[in-house]
Amino acid sequence: MSLLADFLVLAGSLLLLLALVPLGYMRRRLPPGANRMAWMFLSGLILLFFAGYLGYAVLAWNRAEHWADLVVPAVFFFGAVFVLVVCWLSAKTADDVMRLCHLEHEIITDPLMGIYNRRHLDRCLRQEATKSRRYGLPLSAMLIDVDHFKKVNDTYGHAVGDRVLQALAQTIKGSVRDFDLVFRYGGEELVVLLPYTEGQGAMVLAERLCHWLADRCLVGRDEQLGCPDLRVTISIGVATFVPTQEEEGQLMARADAALYQAKQAGRNRVVYAAPPAAVPPRAAQTEADATD
């Protein structure tokens, strides 16, 4: 009887030590922060339980004489089984969630520029337009194009062109607010969605970006690739959403038309898209008209 009781306590202690394995795995994968501290706290609790198991084993070693004396060792053993299963399942679930988050990030991110892609733009544009209609919040969009980008590719090669696009995307991303959204629209075109931003605020940001990039060396000299210090200019079309008169697709169409005007006017400039023409409301039919 005492042999069985001692075995249950020792087996429970070993199972508790095994429970530390998945916890250690998760601690190593998580960055410093609250989540990592929570897993460390759980590891400390398990070590405390382990110390309690060993303390009980020392006090009750070889003293079990009746079946009733197996209750506490059995509770200890199955409690350790429970802790081990919960820790393994928690670690596996957390690992699966991290994999899904990484996969989702890859799906919505452009691999070259490191910003959101066109697929995610469509989704975010619908969401922001819905919020604008429902709550009356302003929403603006900037459509940005690199001037004469084909000349960069033809002169220095696509490797240099890729570096220009990467530097441009990260520069624009670092120049907007945290809740502004930057997307690759296609080719060398980028879109910046500006929630809570009226047309005047969007124009101020666009003008600042346009002038700043024109005066800035975007890609440094690279003897290996055979390119000097590179500066590029951009053209920007800006449009503000009018929820009572248009759909979100029309917002992008007006921004695209404004971008075309900026290119036609000589590039390296910003053009604001005129709001859509107001559609007069349909006259309500009176009862007299219906009678007639």
Side-chain angles (χ1 to χ4, degrees):
M1 190 70 63
S2 61
L3 183 62
L4 179 58
D6 297 340
F7 170 78
L8 290 175
V9 174
L10 290 179
S13 302
L14 292 176
L15 291 178
L16 284 179
L17 289 180
L18 285 177
L20 294 175
V21 175
L23 297 184
Y25 169 74
M26 288 307 303
R27 286 201 314 272
R28 289 191 297 271
R29 293 200 61 184
L30 289 172
N35 289 333
R36 187 174 183 180
M37 290 297 297
W39 285 92
M40 293 177 66
F41 177 72
L42 182 58
S43 300
L45 285 180
I46 292 176
L47 288 174
L48 182 62
F49 293 160
F50 176 74
Y53 278 36
L54 291 183
Y56 177 82
V58 171
L59 294 175
W61 187 260
N62 204 21
R63 294 185 181 180
E65 298 178 357
H66 306 285
W67 286 105
D69 296 332
L70 292 178
V71 173
V72 175
V75 170
F76 277 8
F77 175 76
F78 288 109
V81 171
F82 174 78
V83 170
L84 176 63
V85 171
V86 168
C87 288
W88 276 104
L89 288 178
S90 299
K92 185 178 185 307
T93 302
D95 192 49
D96 290 342
V97 170
M98 292 173 65
R99 290 178 187 274
L100 287 174
C101 291
H102 182 70
L103 179 61
E104 182 181 8
H105 179 73
E106 288 185 344
I107 290 174
I108 65 176
T109 303
D110 181 80
L112 174 63
M113 291 190 178
I115 55 178
Y116 294 129
N117 58 21
R118 176 69 178 271
R119 176 187 298 176
H120 195 52
L121 167 63
D122 296 338
R123 182 192 308 170
C124 291
L125 184 58
R126 285 194 300 269
Q127 293 174 348
E128 295 299 333
T130 299
K131 287 196 296 186
S132 179
R133 290 192 197 95
R134 183 172 300 171
Y135 304 112
L137 299 173
L139 172 65
S140 297
M142 298 191 306
L143 183 55
I144 303 170
D145 184 59
V146 182
D147 297 331
H148 305 295
F149 182 70
K150 185 176 183 300
K151 184 178 179 181
V152 174
N153 279 334
D154 292 343
T155 305
Y156 304 108
H158 289 277
V160 175
D162 289 347
R163 288 183 58 183
V164 169
L165 293 179
Q166 290 168 351
L168 174 66
Q170 296 308 311
T171 298
I172 293 176
K173 186 177 178 181
S175 302
V176 298
R177 300 165 300 184
D178 291 340
F179 53 82
D180 294 331
L181 304 168
V182 185
F183 308 85
R184 185 178 188 180
Y185 193 60
E188 66 273 15
E189 291 184 335
L190 288 80
V191 168
V192 182
L193 280 185
L194 303 168
Y196 321 115
T197 306
E198 300 281 1
Q200 182 178 0
M203 283 295 293
V204 170
L205 174 60
E207 292 282 1
R208 186 168 69 239
L209 279 175
C210 197
H211 293 310
W212 188 54
L213 280 170
D215 297 332
R216 187 173 187 266
C217 176
L218 200 61
V219 175
R221 179 186 299 273
D222 192 322
E223 300 292 345
Q224 216 171 21
L225 294 175
C227 73
D229 294 337
L230 283 180
R231 288 177 169 82
V232 297
T233 60
I234 56 175
S235 301
I236 307 178
V238 179
T240 302
F241 187 51
V242 185
T244 57
Q245 299 179 27
E246 65 178 346
E247 298 295 325
E248 56 268 20
Q250 294 171 274
L251 169 68
M252 296 308 304
R254 290 193 296 112
D256 188 55
L259 175 61
Y260 179 77
Q261 293 177 25
K263 292 180 180 178
Q264 292 298 308
R267 305 177 190 267
N268 190 24
R269 66 193 63 226
V270 178
V271 172
Y272 184 74
V279 179
R282 186 187 303 174
Q285 206 170 24
T286 64
E287 293 182 5
D289 292 333
T291 304
D292 293 342

